[in-house]
Amino acid sequence: LFVYSGVSYMELGLYDKAVETLTYSMENIKDEVNNSRRKETVQWYLALANLKNGNDERFEELVQPLTQATGKKVREKAKSILEAYNSK
């Protein structure tokens, strides 16, 4: 539920609130095998919210590990955004 709220805050341009909500969501996902993709998805949106909020250092900390993500979609997005980010 908090993931959807965080993404909604991002869509509204409320990046501080998105970061707060997504951080809470990520901290409350249990470290179980079946939750790894869910955690990667939350981490992806948290990385984006930090980028939009101007926190480039935190963005890089969050997105770099996602280049090795279990989920193909998140992994490909992470590689793509890092490539674009690093070429600016």
Side-chain angles (χ1 to χ4, degrees):
L1 182 61
F2 287 102
V3 178
Y4 300 115
S5 296
V7 173
S8 295
Y9 286 131
M10 284 179 58
E11 292 293 321
L12 294 170
L14 302 171
Y15 302 116
D16 286 335
K17 193 71 174 161
V19 167
E20 178 185 328
T21 305
L22 291 165
T23 299
Y24 177 82
S25 180
M26 201 161 127
E27 289 171 350
N28 288 286
I29 295 174
K30 292 185 169 91
D31 286 329
E32 297 173 5
V33 175
N34 59 345
N35 284 334
S36 65
R37 286 191 179 185
R38 182 173 170 207
K39 194 167 193 168
E40 290 170 355
T41 300
V42 174
Q43 187 170 334
W44 167 252
Y45 285 112
L46 182 56
L48 292 180
N50 274 282
L51 179 63
K52 291 285 195 174
N53 207 26
N55 192 344
D56 293 356
E57 187 176 318
R58 183 69 177 134
F59 160 74
E60 290 182 76
E61 289 172 4
L62 289 163
V63 83
Q64 185 62 47
L66 293 176
T67 63
Q68 304 298 316
T70 304
K72 182 180 178 183
K73 197 181 235 182
V74 170
R75 184 174 60 244
E76 289 176 357
K77 286 180 182 180
K79 288 178 181 179
S80 177
I81 200 168
L82 263 181
E83 185 179 308
Y85 177 80
N86 289 327
S87 68
K88 66 175 187 172

